[in-house]
mmCIF file with all atom_site columns, all heavy atoms in Angstrom:
data_model
loop_
_atom_site.group_PDB
_atom_site.id
_atom_site.type_symbol
_atom_site.label_atom_id
_atom_site.label_alt_id
_atom_site.label_comp_id
_atom_site.label_asym_id
_atom_site.label_entity_id
_atom_site.label_seq_id
_atom_site.pdbx_PDB_ins_code
_atom_site.Cartn_x
_atom_site.Cartn_y
_atom_site.Cartn_z
_atom_site.occupancy
_atom_site.B_iso_or_equiv
_atom_site.pdbx_formal_charge
_atom_site.auth_seq_id
_atom_site.auth_comp_id
_atom_site.auth_asym_id
_atom_site.auth_atom_id
_atom_site.pdbx_PDB_model_num
ATOM 1   N N   . ALA X 1 1  ? -12.320 219.431 200.029 1.00 98.00 ? 225 ALA X N   1
ATOM 2   C CA  . ALA X 1 1  ? -12.983 218.173 199.658 1.00 98.00 ? 225 ALA X CA  1
ATOM 3   C C   . ALA X 1 1  ? -11.933 217.083 199.506 1.00 98.00 ? 225 ALA X C   1
ATOM 4   O O   . ALA X 1 1  ? -10.722 217.358 199.498 1.00 98.00 ? 225 ALA X O   1
ATOM 5   C CB  . ALA X 1 1  ? -13.748 218.339 198.352 1.00 98.00 ? 225 ALA X CB  1
ATOM 6   N N   . ASN X 1 2  ? -12.426 215.886 199.336 1.00 98.00 ? 226 ASN X N   1
ATOM 7   C CA  . ASN X 1 2  ? -11.573 214.775 198.930 1.00 98.00 ? 226 ASN X CA  1
ATOM 8   C C   . ASN X 1 2  ? -11.592 214.750 197.392 1.00 98.00 ? 226 ASN X C   1
ATOM 9   O O   . ASN X 1 2  ? -12.669 214.743 196.790 1.00 98.00 ? 226 ASN X O   1
ATOM 10  C CB  . ASN X 1 2  ? -12.106 213.464 199.493 1.00 98.00 ? 226 ASN X CB  1
ATOM 11  C CG  . ASN X 1 2  ? -11.028 212.427 199.659 1.00 98.00 ? 226 ASN X CG  1
ATOM 12  O OD1 . ASN X 1 2  ? -9.838  212.703 199.509 1.00 98.00 ? 226 ASN X OD1 1
ATOM 13  N ND2 . ASN X 1 2  ? -11.434 211.214 199.953 1.00 98.00 ? 226 ASN X ND2 1
ATOM 14  N N   . TYR X 1 3  ? -10.416 214.767 196.798 1.00 98.00 ? 227 TYR X N   1
ATOM 15  C CA  . TYR X 1 3  ? -10.308 214.840 195.339 1.00 98.00 ? 227 TYR X CA  1
ATOM 16  C C   . TYR X 1 3  ? -9.965  213.465 194.771 1.00 98.00 ? 227 TYR X C   1
ATOM 17  O O   . TYR X 1 3  ? -9.015  212.817 195.233 1.00 98.00 ? 227 TYR X O   1
ATOM 18  C CB  . TYR X 1 3  ? -9.246  215.855 194.942 1.00 98.00 ? 227 TYR X CB  1
ATOM 19  C CG  . TYR X 1 3  ? -9.733  217.275 195.054 1.00 98.00 ? 227 TYR X CG  1
ATOM 20  C CD1 . TYR X 1 3  ? -9.957  217.851 196.299 1.00 98.00 ? 227 TYR X CD1 1
ATOM 21  C CD2 . TYR X 1 3  ? -10.006 218.045 193.927 1.00 98.00 ? 227 TYR X CD2 1
ATOM 22  C CE1 . TYR X 1 3  ? -10.429 219.158 196.419 1.00 98.00 ? 227 TYR X CE1 1
ATOM 23  C CE2 . TYR X 1 3  ? -10.468 219.340 194.026 1.00 98.00 ? 227 TYR X CE2 1
ATOM 24  C CZ  . TYR X 1 3  ? -10.678 219.892 195.276 1.00 98.00 ? 227 TYR X CZ  1
ATOM 25  O OH  . TYR X 1 3  ? -11.162 221.176 195.386 1.00 98.00 ? 227 TYR X OH  1
ATOM 26  N N   . TYR X 1 4  ? -10.726 213.060 193.759 1.00 98.00 ? 228 TYR X N   1
ATOM 27  C CA  . TYR X 1 4  ? -10.570 211.753 193.144 1.00 98.00 ? 228 TYR X CA  1
ATOM 28  C C   . TYR X 1 4  ? -10.160 211.876 191.682 1.00 98.00 ? 228 TYR X C   1
ATOM 29  O O   . TYR X 1 4  ? -10.718 212.676 190.936 1.00 98.00 ? 228 TYR X O   1
ATOM 30  C CB  . TYR X 1 4  ? -11.881 210.979 193.205 1.00 98.00 ? 228 TYR X CB  1
ATOM 31  C CG  . TYR X 1 4  ? -12.350 210.667 194.601 1.00 98.00 ? 228 TYR X CG  1
ATOM 32  C CD1 . TYR X 1 4  ? -13.149 211.560 195.297 1.00 98.00 ? 228 TYR X CD1 1
ATOM 33  C CD2 . TYR X 1 4  ? -11.985 209.477 195.230 1.00 98.00 ? 228 TYR X CD2 1
ATOM 34  C CE1 . TYR X 1 4  ? -13.582 211.280 196.581 1.00 98.00 ? 228 TYR X CE1 1
ATOM 35  C CE2 . TYR X 1 4  ? -12.414 209.182 196.511 1.00 98.00 ? 228 TYR X CE2 1
ATOM 36  C CZ  . TYR X 1 4  ? -13.211 210.093 197.180 1.00 98.00 ? 228 TYR X CZ  1
ATOM 37  O OH  . TYR X 1 4  ? -13.628 209.812 198.458 1.00 98.00 ? 228 TYR X OH  1
ATOM 38  N N   . CYS X 1 5  ? -9.234  211.027 191.297 1.00 98.00 ? 229 CYS X N   1
ATOM 39  C CA  . CYS X 1 5  ? -8.827  210.885 189.908 1.00 98.00 ? 229 CYS X CA  1
ATOM 40  C C   . CYS X 1 5  ? -9.642  209.747 189.297 1.00 98.00 ? 229 CYS X C   1
ATOM 41  O O   . CYS X 1 5  ? -9.926  208.747 189.969 1.00 98.00 ? 229 CYS X O   1
ATOM 42  C CB  . CYS X 1 5  ? -7.331  210.569 189.887 1.00 98.00 ? 229 CYS X CB  1
ATOM 43  S SG  . CYS X 1 5  ? -6.667  210.167 188.281 1.00 98.00 ? 229 CYS X SG  1
ATOM 44  N N   . ALA X 1 6  ? -10.010 209.898 188.020 1.00 98.00 ? 230 ALA X N   1
ATOM 45  C CA  . ALA X 1 6  ? -10.823 208.884 187.366 1.00 98.00 ? 230 ALA X CA  1
ATOM 46  C C   . ALA X 1 6  ? -10.391 208.700 185.912 1.00 98.00 ? 230 ALA X C   1
ATOM 47  O O   . ALA X 1 6  ? -9.966  209.663 185.261 1.00 98.00 ? 230 ALA X O   1
ATOM 48  C CB  . ALA X 1 6  ? -12.296 209.261 187.425 1.00 98.00 ? 230 ALA X CB  1
ATOM 49  N N   . ALA X 1 7  ? -10.539 207.479 185.424 1.00 96.00 ? 231 ALA X N   1
ATOM 50  C CA  . ALA X 1 7  ? -10.243 207.168 184.027 1.00 96.00 ? 231 ALA X CA  1
ATOM 51  C C   . ALA X 1 7  ? -11.494 206.621 183.358 1.00 96.00 ? 231 ALA X C   1
ATOM 52  O O   . ALA X 1 7  ? -12.282 205.901 183.986 1.00 96.00 ? 231 ALA X O   1
ATOM 53  C CB  . ALA X 1 7  ? -9.110  206.150 183.934 1.00 96.00 ? 231 ALA X CB  1
ATOM 54  N N   . SER X 1 8  ? -11.664 206.950 182.084 1.00 95.00 ? 232 SER X N   1
ATOM 55  C CA  . SER X 1 8  ? -12.859 206.536 181.358 1.00 95.00 ? 232 SER X CA  1
ATOM 56  C C   . SER X 1 8  ? -12.955 205.011 181.253 1.00 95.00 ? 232 SER X C   1
ATOM 57  O O   . SER X 1 8  ? -11.964 204.302 181.315 1.00 95.00 ? 232 SER X O   1
ATOM 58  C CB  . SER X 1 8  ? -12.856 207.139 179.963 1.00 95.00 ? 232 SER X CB  1
ATOM 59  O OG  . SER X 1 8  ? -11.690 206.751 179.254 1.00 95.00 ? 232 SER X OG  1
ATOM 60  N N   . GLY X 1 9  ? -14.187 204.533 181.078 1.00 85.00 ? 233 GLY X N   1
ATOM 61  C CA  . GLY X 1 9  ? -14.384 203.091 180.981 1.00 85.00 ? 233 GLY X CA  1
ATOM 62  C C   . GLY X 1 9  ? -13.995 202.533 179.627 1.00 85.00 ? 233 GLY X C   1
ATOM 63  O O   . GLY X 1 9  ? -13.740 201.343 179.489 1.00 85.00 ? 233 GLY X O   1
ATOM 64  N N   . ARG X 1 10 ? -13.951 203.392 178.615 1.00 85.00 ? 234 ARG X N   1
ATOM 65  C CA  . ARG X 1 10 ? -13.610 202.959 177.264 1.00 85.00 ? 234 ARG X CA  1
ATOM 66  C C   . ARG X 1 10 ? -12.288 203.576 176.842 1.00 85.00 ? 234 ARG X C   1
ATOM 67  O O   . ARG X 1 10 ? -11.898 204.632 177.320 1.00 85.00 ? 234 ARG X O   1
ATOM 68  C CB  . ARG X 1 10 ? -14.702 203.384 176.277 1.00 85.00 ? 234 ARG X CB  1
ATOM 69  C CG  . ARG X 1 10 ? -16.053 202.747 176.517 1.00 85.00 ? 234 ARG X CG  1
ATOM 70  C CD  . ARG X 1 10 ? -17.051 203.177 175.469 1.00 85.00 ? 234 ARG X CD  1
ATOM 71  N NE  . ARG X 1 10 ? -18.347 202.509 175.633 1.00 85.00 ? 234 ARG X NE  1
ATOM 72  C CZ  . ARG X 1 10 ? -19.387 202.690 174.834 1.00 85.00 ? 234 ARG X CZ  1
ATOM 73  N NH1 . ARG X 1 10 ? -19.282 203.506 173.810 1.00 85.00 ? 234 ARG X NH1 1
ATOM 74  N NH2 . ARG X 1 10 ? -20.520 202.055 175.052 1.00 85.00 ? 234 ARG X NH2 1
ATOM 75  N N   . THR X 1 11 ? -11.652 202.922 175.898 1.00 88.00 ? 235 THR X N   1
ATOM 76  C CA  . THR X 1 11 ? -10.433 203.481 175.331 1.00 88.00 ? 235 THR X CA  1
ATOM 77  C C   . THR X 1 11 ? -10.784 204.339 174.118 1.00 88.00 ? 235 THR X C   1
ATOM 78  O O   . THR X 1 11 ? -11.758 204.066 173.414 1.00 88.00 ? 235 THR X O   1
ATOM 79  C CB  . THR X 1 11 ? -9.456  202.381 174.912 1.00 88.00 ? 235 THR X CB  1
ATOM 80  O OG1 . THR X 1 11 ? -10.119 201.508 173.996 1.00 88.00 ? 235 THR X OG1 1
ATOM 81  C CG2 . THR X 1 11 ? -8.988  201.572 176.117 1.00 88.00 ? 235 THR X CG2 1
ATOM 82  N N   . TYR X 1 12 ? -10.028 205.384 173.925 1.00 90.00 ? 236 TYR X N   1
ATOM 83  C CA  . TYR X 1 12 ? -10.218 206.329 172.826 1.00 90.00 ? 236 TYR X CA  1
ATOM 84  C C   . TYR X 1 12 ? -11.663 206.805 172.699 1.00 90.00 ? 236 TYR X C   1
ATOM 85  O O   . TYR X 1 12 ? -12.238 206.788 171.600 1.00 90.00 ? 236 TYR X O   1
ATOM 86  C CB  . TYR X 1 12 ? -9.749  205.729 171.508 1.00 90.00 ? 236 TYR X CB  1
ATOM 87  C CG  . TYR X 1 12 ? -8.304  205.274 171.537 1.00 90.00 ? 236 TYR X CG  1
ATOM 88  C CD1 . TYR X 1 12 ? -7.989  203.921 171.545 1.00 90.00 ? 236 TYR X CD1 1
ATOM 89  C CD2 . TYR X 1 12 ? -7.266  206.188 171.564 1.00 90.00 ? 236 TYR X CD2 1
ATOM 90  C CE1 . TYR X 1 12 ? -6.659  203.507 171.594 1.00 90.00 ? 236 TYR X CE1 1
ATOM 91  C CE2 . TYR X 1 12 ? -5.942  205.787 171.608 1.00 90.00 ? 236 TYR X CE2 1
ATOM 92  C CZ  . TYR X 1 12 ? -5.648  204.438 171.628 1.00 90.00 ? 236 TYR X CZ  1
ATOM 93  O OH  . TYR X 1 12 ? -4.344  204.026 171.667 1.00 90.00 ? 236 TYR X OH  1
ATOM 94  N N   . PRO X 1 13 ? -12.290 207.230 173.788 1.00 89.00 ? 237 PRO X N   1
ATOM 95  C CA  . PRO X 1 13 ? -13.661 207.698 173.700 1.00 89.00 ? 237 PRO X CA  1
ATOM 96  C C   . PRO X 1 13 ? -13.771 209.013 172.928 1.00 89.00 ? 237 PRO X C   1
ATOM 97  O O   . PRO X 1 13 ? -12.890 209.864 173.017 1.00 89.00 ? 237 PRO X O   1
ATOM 98  C CB  . PRO X 1 13 ? -14.076 207.875 175.162 1.00 89.00 ? 237 PRO X CB  1
ATOM 99  C CG  . PRO X 1 13 ? -12.805 208.082 175.897 1.00 89.00 ? 237 PRO X CG  1
ATOM 100 C CD  . PRO X 1 13 ? -11.763 207.321 175.156 1.00 89.00 ? 237 PRO X CD  1
ATOM 101 N N   . THR X 1 14 ? -14.876 209.155 172.204 1.00 90.00 ? 238 THR X N   1
ATOM 102 C CA  . THR X 1 14 ? -15.077 210.362 171.405 1.00 90.00 ? 238 THR X CA  1
ATOM 103 C C   . THR X 1 14 ? -15.470 211.543 172.282 1.00 90.00 ? 238 THR X C   1
ATOM 104 O O   . THR X 1 14 ? -15.006 212.664 172.090 1.00 90.00 ? 238 THR X O   1
ATOM 105 C CB  . THR X 1 14 ? -16.159 210.123 170.344 1.00 90.00 ? 238 THR X CB  1
ATOM 106 O OG1 . THR X 1 14 ? -15.763 209.026 169.532 1.00 90.00 ? 238 THR X OG1 1
ATOM 107 C CG2 . THR X 1 14 ? -16.370 211.365 169.498 1.00 90.00 ? 238 THR X CG2 1
ATOM 108 N N   . MET X 1 15 ? -16.349 211.270 173.250 1.00 92.00 ? 239 MET X N   1
ATOM 109 C CA  . MET X 1 15 ? -16.844 212.332 174.112 1.00 92.00 ? 239 MET X CA  1
ATOM 110 C C   . MET X 1 15 ? -16.109 212.314 175.452 1.00 92.00 ? 239 MET X C   1
ATOM 111 O O   . MET X 1 15 ? -15.745 211.255 175.963 1.00 92.00 ? 239 MET X O   1
ATOM 112 C CB  . MET X 1 15 ? -18.342 212.165 174.347 1.00 92.00 ? 239 MET X CB  1
ATOM 113 C CG  . MET X 1 15 ? -19.189 212.322 173.101 1.00 92.00 ? 239 MET X CG  1
ATOM 114 S SD  . MET X 1 15 ? -20.937 212.251 173.462 1.00 92.00 ? 239 MET X SD  1
ATOM 115 C CE  . MET X 1 15 ? -21.118 213.689 174.514 1.00 92.00 ? 239 MET X CE  1
ATOM 116 N N   . VAL X 1 16 ? -15.933 213.508 176.013 1.00 93.00 ? 240 VAL X N   1
ATOM 117 C CA  . VAL X 1 16 ? -15.337 213.647 177.336 1.00 93.00 ? 240 VAL X CA  1
ATOM 118 C C   . VAL X 1 16 ? -16.474 213.875 178.327 1.00 93.00 ? 240 VAL X C   1
ATOM 119 O O   . VAL X 1 16 ? -17.116 214.933 178.317 1.00 93.00 ? 240 VAL X O   1
ATOM 120 C CB  . VAL X 1 16 ? -14.332 214.811 177.391 1.00 93.00 ? 240 VAL X CB  1
ATOM 121 C CG1 . VAL X 1 16 ? -13.750 214.935 178.793 1.00 93.00 ? 240 VAL X CG1 1
ATOM 122 C CG2 . VAL X 1 16 ? -13.230 214.611 176.360 1.00 93.00 ? 240 VAL X CG2 1
ATOM 123 N N   . GLN X 1 17 ? -16.742 212.883 179.148 1.00 94.00 ? 241 GLN X N   1
ATOM 124 C CA  . GLN X 1 17 ? -17.866 212.945 180.072 1.00 94.00 ? 241 GLN X CA  1
ATOM 125 C C   . GLN X 1 17 ? -17.563 213.850 181.262 1.00 94.00 ? 241 GLN X C   1
ATOM 126 O O   . GLN X 1 17 ? -16.407 213.960 181.697 1.00 94.00 ? 241 GLN X O   1
ATOM 127 C CB  . GLN X 1 17 ? -18.202 211.534 180.561 1.00 94.00 ? 241 GLN X CB  1
ATOM 128 C CG  . GLN X 1 17 ? -18.578 210.563 179.460 1.00 94.00 ? 241 GLN X CG  1
ATOM 129 C CD  . GLN X 1 17 ? -19.910 210.881 178.829 1.00 94.00 ? 241 GLN X CD  1
ATOM 130 O OE1 . GLN X 1 17 ? -20.721 211.592 179.429 1.00 94.00 ? 241 GLN X OE1 1
ATOM 131 N NE2 . GLN X 1 17 ? -20.155 210.347 177.654 1.00 94.00 ? 241 GLN X NE2 1
ATOM 132 N N   . GLN X 1 18 ? -18.620 214.450 181.805 1.00 96.00 ? 242 GLN X N   1
ATOM 133 C CA  . GLN X 1 18 ? -18.471 215.310 182.971 1.00 96.00 ? 242 GLN X CA  1
ATOM 134 C C   . GLN X 1 18 ? -19.330 214.821 184.131 1.00 96.00 ? 242 GLN X C   1
ATOM 135 O O   . GLN X 1 18 ? -19.643 215.583 185.040 1.00 96.00 ? 242 GLN X O   1
ATOM 136 C CB  . GLN X 1 18 ? -18.814 216.759 182.600 1.00 96.00 ? 242 GLN X CB  1
ATOM 137 C CG  . GLN X 1 18 ? -17.884 217.316 181.527 1.00 96.00 ? 242 GLN X CG  1
ATOM 138 C CD  . GLN X 1 18 ? -18.164 218.756 181.173 1.00 96.00 ? 242 GLN X CD  1
ATOM 139 O OE1 . GLN X 1 18 ? -18.583 219.554 182.008 1.00 96.00 ? 242 GLN X OE1 1
ATOM 140 N NE2 . GLN X 1 18 ? -17.943 219.102 179.909 1.00 96.00 ? 242 GLN X NE2 1
ATOM 141 N N   . THR X 1 19 ? -19.678 213.536 184.098 1.00 96.00 ? 243 THR X N   1
ATOM 142 C CA  . THR X 1 19 ? -20.393 212.919 185.205 1.00 96.00 ? 243 THR X CA  1
ATOM 143 C C   . THR X 1 19 ? -19.655 211.655 185.631 1.00 96.00 ? 243 THR X C   1
ATOM 144 O O   . THR X 1 19 ? -18.883 211.079 184.855 1.00 96.00 ? 243 THR X O   1
ATOM 145 C CB  . THR X 1 19 ? -21.827 212.540 184.810 1.00 96.00 ? 243 THR X CB  1
ATOM 146 O OG1 . THR X 1 19 ? -21.780 211.522 183.805 1.00 96.00 ? 243 THR X OG1 1
ATOM 147 C CG2 . THR X 1 19 ? -22.576 213.746 184.263 1.00 96.00 ? 243 THR X CG2 1
ATOM 148 N N   . THR X 1 20 ? -19.936 211.211 186.841 1.00 96.00 ? 244 THR X N   1
ATOM 149 C CA  . THR X 1 20 ? -19.262 210.017 187.346 1.00 96.00 ? 244 THR X CA  1
ATOM 150 C C   . THR X 1 20 ? -19.557 208.785 186.495 1.00 96.00 ? 244 THR X C   1
ATOM 151 O O   . THR X 1 20 ? -18.739 207.872 186.430 1.00 96.00 ? 244 THR X O   1
ATOM 152 C CB  . THR X 1 20 ? -19.667 209.745 188.801 1.00 96.00 ? 244 THR X CB  1
ATOM 153 O OG1 . THR X 1 20 ? -21.093 209.628 188.882 1.00 96.00 ? 244 THR X OG1 1
ATOM 154 C CG2 . THR X 1 20 ? -19.217 210.876 189.727 1.00 96.00 ? 244 THR X CG2 1
ATOM 155 N N   . ALA X 1 21 ? -20.696 208.782 185.825 1.00 95.00 ? 245 ALA X N   1
ATOM 156 C CA  . ALA X 1 21 ? -21.084 207.626 185.019 1.00 95.00 ? 245 ALA X CA  1
ATOM 157 C C   . ALA X 1 21 ? -20.130 207.389 183.854 1.00 95.00 ? 245 ALA X C   1
ATOM 158 O O   . ALA X 1 21 ? -20.078 206.285 183.307 1.00 95.00 ? 245 ALA X O   1
ATOM 159 C CB  . ALA X 1 21 ? -22.508 207.803 184.504 1.00 95.00 ? 245 ALA X CB  1
ATOM 160 N N   . GLY X 1 22 ? -19.393 208.400 183.469 1.00 94.00 ? 246 GLY X N   1
ATOM 161 C CA  . GLY X 1 22 ? -18.489 208.262 182.337 1.00 94.00 ? 246 GLY X CA  1
ATOM 162 C C   . GLY X 1 22 ? -17.134 207.668 182.681 1.00 94.00 ? 246 GLY X C   1
ATOM 163 O O   . GLY X 1 22 ? -16.294 207.530 181.792 1.00 94.00 ? 246 GLY X O   1
ATOM 164 N N   . TYR X 1 23 ? -16.939 207.301 183.938 1.00 96.00 ? 247 TYR X N   1
ATOM 165 C CA  . TYR X 1 23 ? -15.632 206.840 184.390 1.00 96.00 ? 247 TYR X CA  1
ATOM 166 C C   . TYR X 1 23 ? -15.762 205.536 185.149 1.00 96.00 ? 247 TYR X C   1
ATOM 167 O O   . TYR X 1 23 ? -16.604 205.399 186.034 1.00 96.00 ? 247 TYR X O   1
ATOM 168 C CB  . TYR X 1 23 ? -14.978 207.932 185.238 1.00 96.00 ? 247 TYR X CB  1
ATOM 169 C CG  . TYR X 1 23 ? -14.770 209.179 184.409 1.00 96.00 ? 247 TYR X CG  1
ATOM 170 C CD1 . TYR X 1 23 ? -15.773 210.129 184.288 1.00 96.00 ? 247 TYR X CD1 1
ATOM 171 C CD2 . TYR X 1 23 ? -13.605 209.351 183.676 1.00 96.00 ? 247 TYR X CD2 1
ATOM 172 C CE1 . TYR X 1 23 ? -15.608 211.239 183.463 1.00 96.00 ? 247 TYR X CE1 1
ATOM 173 C CE2 . TYR X 1 23 ? -13.426 210.456 182.856 1.00 96.00 ? 247 TYR X CE2 1
ATOM 174 C CZ  . TYR X 1 23 ? -14.441 211.393 182.752 1.00 96.00 ? 247 TYR X CZ  1
ATOM 175 O OH  . TYR X 1 23 ? -14.274 212.488 181.932 1.00 96.00 ? 247 TYR X OH  1
ATOM 176 N N   . ALA X 1 24 ? -14.899 204.590 184.783 1.00 95.00 ? 248 ALA X N   1
ATOM 177 C CA  . ALA X 1 24 ? -14.995 203.257 185.362 1.00 95.00 ? 248 ALA X CA  1
ATOM 178 C C   . ALA X 1 24 ? -13.906 202.980 186.397 1.00 95.00 ? 248 ALA X C   1
ATOM 179 O O   . ALA X 1 24 ? -14.061 202.085 187.220 1.00 95.00 ? 248 ALA X O   1
ATOM 180 C CB  . ALA X 1 24 ? -14.901 202.207 184.258 1.00 95.00 ? 248 ALA X CB  1
ATOM 181 N N   . TYR X 1 25 ? -12.837 203.748 186.349 1.00 96.00 ? 249 TYR X N   1
ATOM 182 C CA  . TYR X 1 25 ? -11.705 203.489 187.234 1.00 96.00 ? 249 TYR X CA  1
ATOM 183 C C   . TYR X 1 25 ? -11.484 204.710 188.114 1.00 96.00 ? 249 TYR X C   1
ATOM 184 O O   . TYR X 1 25 ? -11.457 205.845 187.627 1.00 96.00 ? 249 TYR X O   1
ATOM 185 C CB  . TYR X 1 25 ? -10.448 203.189 186.416 1.00 96.00 ? 249 TYR X CB  1
ATOM 186 C CG  . TYR X 1 25 ? -10.642 202.054 185.444 1.00 96.00 ? 249 TYR X CG  1
ATOM 187 C CD1 . TYR X 1 25 ? -10.786 202.300 184.082 1.00 96.00 ? 249 TYR X CD1 1
ATOM 188 C CD2 . TYR X 1 25 ? -10.712 200.742 185.893 1.00 96.00 ? 249 TYR X CD2 1
ATOM 189 C CE1 . TYR X 1 25 ? -10.988 201.260 183.189 1.00 96.00 ? 249 TYR X CE1 1
ATOM 190 C CE2 . TYR X 1 25 ? -10.906 199.695 185.010 1.00 96.00 ? 249 TYR X CE2 1
ATOM 191 C CZ  . TYR X 1 25 ? -11.044 199.962 183.662 1.00 96.00 ? 249 TYR X CZ  1
ATOM 192 O OH  . TYR X 1 25 ? -11.248 198.935 182.787 1.00 96.00 ? 249 TYR X OH  1
ATOM 193 N N   . TRP X 1 26 ? -11.284 204.441 189.404 1.00 97.00 ? 250 TRP X N   1
ATOM 194 C CA  . TRP X 1 26 ? -11.187 205.523 190.380 1.00 97.00 ? 250 TRP X CA  1
ATOM 195 C C   . TRP X 1 26 ? -10.030 205.272 191.339 1.00 97.00 ? 250 TRP X C   1
ATOM 196 O O   . TRP X 1 26 ? -9.745  204.132 191.724 1.00 97.00 ? 250 TRP X O   1
ATOM 197 C CB  . TRP X 1 26 ? -12.476 205.606 191.199 1.00 97.00 ? 250 TRP X CB  1
ATOM 198 C CG  . TRP X 1 26 ? -13.654 206.021 190.389 1.00 97.00 ? 250 TRP X CG  1
ATOM 199 C CD1 . TRP X 1 26 ? -14.461 205.221 189.626 1.00 97.00 ? 250 TRP X CD1 1
ATOM 200 C CD2 . TRP X 1 26 ? -14.158 207.343 190.228 1.00 97.00 ? 250 TRP X CD2 1
ATOM 201 N NE1 . TRP X 1 26 ? -15.442 205.958 189.017 1.00 97.00 ? 250 TRP X NE1 1
ATOM 202 C CE2 . TRP X 1 26 ? -15.267 207.277 189.370 1.00 97.00 ? 250 TRP X CE2 1
ATOM 203 C CE3 . TRP X 1 26 ? -13.786 208.588 190.735 1.00 97.00 ? 250 TRP X CE3 1
ATOM 204 C CZ2 . TRP X 1 26 ? -16.014 208.402 188.998 1.00 97.00 ? 250 TRP X CZ2 1
ATOM 205 C CZ3 . TRP X 1 26 ? -14.521 209.711 190.377 1.00 97.00 ? 250 TRP X CZ3 1
ATOM 206 C CH2 . TRP X 1 26 ? -15.617 209.606 189.512 1.00 97.00 ? 250 TRP X CH2 1
ATOM 207 N N   . GLY X 1 27 ? -9.395  206.372 191.751 1.00 98.00 ? 251 GLY X N   1
ATOM 208 C CA  . GLY X 1 27 ? -8.440  206.283 192.842 1.00 98.00 ? 251 GLY X CA  1
ATOM 209 C C   . GLY X 1 27 ? -9.161  206.358 194.172 1.00 98.00 ? 251 GLY X C   1
ATOM 210 O O   . GLY X 1 27 ? -10.388 206.503 194.221 1.00 98.00 ? 251 GLY X O   1
ATOM 211 N N   . LYS X 1 28 ? -8.387  206.311 195.255 1.00 98.00 ? 252 LYS X N   1
ATOM 212 C CA  . LYS X 1 28 ? -8.976  206.351 196.589 1.00 98.00 ? 252 LYS X CA  1
ATOM 213 C C   . LYS X 1 28 ? -9.138  207.765 197.122 1.00 98.00 ? 252 LYS X C   1
ATOM 214 O O   . LYS X 1 28 ? -9.767  207.957 198.168 1.00 98.00 ? 252 LYS X O   1
ATOM 215 C CB  . LYS X 1 28 ? -8.138  205.510 197.545 1.00 98.00 ? 252 LYS X CB  1
ATOM 216 C CG  . LYS X 1 28 ? -8.154  204.022 197.202 1.00 98.00 ? 252 LYS X CG  1
ATOM 217 C CD  . LYS X 1 28 ? -7.380  203.200 198.211 1.00 98.00 ? 252 LYS X CD  1
ATOM 218 C CE  . LYS X 1 28 ? -7.467  201.713 197.863 1.00 98.00 ? 252 LYS X CE  1
ATOM 219 N NZ  . LYS X 1 28 ? -6.726  200.873 198.846 1.00 98.00 ? 252 LYS X NZ  1
#
């Protein structure tokens, strides 16, 4: 597959999301 790195949309989030909706920043 193509593997993507992602960072959360918020700083110091309490929960660690496991869906794309939890991440606002993406690599190529």
Side-chain angles (χ1 to χ4, degrees):
N226 206 9
Y227 282 70
Y228 297 88
C229 173
S232 58
R234 296 182 177 181
T235 56
Y236 303 108
T238 302
M239 295 185 63
V240 179
Q241 300 291 340
Q242 298 182 33
T243 65
T244 56
Y247 298 87
Y249 305 105
W250 293 84
K252 294 183 178 181

